[in-house]
Amino acid sequence: MLTRLRLSNFKRFTDLELRLAPLTVLTGFNGAGKSTVLQSLLLIRQAGCDPSTNVVPLNGPLGLTLGEARDILNTESDQPLIRLGVEEQDLSCSFVFAVPEERSLHLKVSSRPEDIPGLLKGTGAAFTYLSADRLGPRDQLDVSADESDLIGVGVRGEYTAQALALHETDEVRPALRHTSSADHGVVTLRTQVESWAGDIIRPIRIDAQWPAGITASLIRFREPGLYGEPIRPTNTGFGISYALPVIVAGLLAPVGGLLAVENPEAHLHPAGQSRLGRFLARVAGSGVQVLVETHSDHVVNGIRLAVAEDRWIDARDVAIEFFGEGGPVSLDMKEDGSLSDWPRGFFDQLDEDLGSLSRARRRR
């Protein structure tokens, strides 16, 4: 498990050190550096997985869209060097990247460690990053040319149908089985995805196919029951298409794997957001390291319920980093789901608005 992250001269941070937990939640103001944390891990993964490479592209791989090298060098840096490092138990590694003097869309690897944490080398479902820019409803989805065991859902969820079609009869680990179905022997990936989706989104049946003869995959939905007609994704709304890759990735993730998700709450009803937070906590409690970037108090409250009510994860295994105006603040969670602090700007807008409405009524 990754335990610490260090950044130097990367984007808005001259120096940053963060504790990473089995479940780490990144939340806070827009443009305060939450995505920067995930991007640093993706750059380390790129540089570490191929020891022979001397450059790291900033756009394309793993969904990165960082622009030019000069765009990501901290403006206060006195030298054109970016340092990114992580710790995993007794292993500490650090990369130094040189920013070229000329315009470039890459960083040069100036210094590298002998090894990086195995967690960042994971293949297939063992390392999954799901971007906020996930695909909306599509009649057809992409297929990957990787070996079947190495196919996950993709950075944008583009391989979700193919992964489901290939692994639909695989058994889901007991620690991740939905309570409503596990007792009845319904433990395959497809049925477990349906059970969790029914809880998080709405009751639905899923038919994922990778038809012979075409380089595309298909997914269709049905209402529960024996005779439901197939429903195209474009006729089900955005919530299913955005949440489904998160559910599939979580159920496919092996013990010791890593799942990083940006804005899991996108297009979901508040109740669904809360239940998805509980699901992600369940995944983390099963032995997968989970990183979540979110703007949803419902997702955070779902995680709190997973600690206090479900007891799917220990409070000590949850780290919440609030990125405010003065930089990130670490909030500790307690066993009853309460937090050690509630800084200004941390999901307090409801109280602010209700207070303003109350004052407005008194003035009438």
Side-chain angles (χ1 to χ4, degrees), residues 138-141 160-161 164 206-209 217-221 231-233 240-241 244:
R138 297 286 193 279
D139 275 350
Q140 294 185 0
L141 290 170
T160 300
L164 256 178
I206 301 170
D207 181 17
Q209 302 176 24
S217 56
L218 306 174
I219 194 163
R220 295 292 184 267
F221 305 106
I231 305 171
R232 294 175 180 272
I240 293 179
S241 295
L244 193 62

Side-chain angles (χ1 to χ4, degrees), residues 173-351:
R173 291 188 287 118
L176 290 175
R177 293 172 188 171
H178 193 278
T179 53
S180 68
S181 57
D183 293 340
H184 299 89
V186 185
V187 298
T188 62
L189 177 64
R190 182 180 62 81
T191 54
Q192 285 296 305
V193 169
E194 289 176 346
S195 296
W196 282 106
D199 188 37
I200 294 167
I201 311 165
R202 66 182 177 89
I204 202 78
R205 295 291 176 262
I206 301 170
D207 181 17
Q209 302 176 24
W210 180 18
I214 64 171
T215 53
S217 56
L218 306 174
I219 194 163
R220 295 292 184 267
F221 305 106
R222 297 176 187 267
E223 297 293 340
L226 294 176
Y227 305 108
E229 292 295 321
I231 305 171
R232 294 175 180 272
T234 50
N235 292 326
T236 61
F238 277 69
I240 293 179
S241 295
Y242 266 66
L244 193 62
V246 181
I247 298 170
V248 175
L251 295 180
L252 282 176
V255 173
L258 185 145
L259 172 62
V261 185
E262 289 183 320
N263 302 129
E265 69 272 12
H267 299 288
L268 281 180
H269 182 275
Q273 295 178 33
S274 175
R275 291 166 186 160
L276 190 55
R278 292 172 98 146
F279 170 76
L280 290 169
R282 177 78 173 265
V283 174
S286 78
V288 179
Q289 186 159 21
V290 177
L291 282 78
V292 180
E293 180 195 349
T294 182
H295 289 282
S296 170
D297 53 343
H298 305 297
V299 168
V300 173
N301 287 337
I303 292 170
R304 296 168 69 191
L305 285 168
V307 169
E309 184 175 4
D310 303 320
R311 301 192 181 278
W312 286 341
I313 187 171
D314 192 280
R316 293 169 296 183
D317 291 334
V318 180
I320 297 180
E321 298 291 341
F322 172 63
F323 289 73
E325 294 176 346
V329 176
S330 298
L331 310 179
D332 295 324
M333 188 171 291
K334 303 176 183 178
E335 291 298 333
D336 63 357
S338 61
L339 300 176
S340 60
D341 193 12
W342 204 280
R344 182 173 179 81
F346 179 72
F347 298 124
D348 55 8
Q349 195 58 46
L350 177 62
D351 292 337

Side-chain angles (χ1 to χ4, degrees), residues 11-68:
K11 298 181 72 173
R12 67 178 291 111
F13 297 114
T14 53
D15 285 290
L16 174 68
E17 182 172 330
L18 281 183
R19 169 196 169 228
L20 299 178
L23 173 56
T24 303
V25 180
L26 311 172
T27 188
F29 297 154
N30 295 114
K34 303 181 300 299
S35 295
T36 300
V37 171
L38 296 180
Q39 290 161 357
S40 66
L41 289 176
L42 298 179
L43 286 173
I44 291 173
R45 174 173 166 82
Q46 277 198 77
C49 284
D50 184 2
S52 65
T53 185
N54 294 319
V55 298
V56 174
L58 299 177
N59 305 276
L62 298 173
L64 288 170
T65 53
L66 293 173
E68 297 185 17

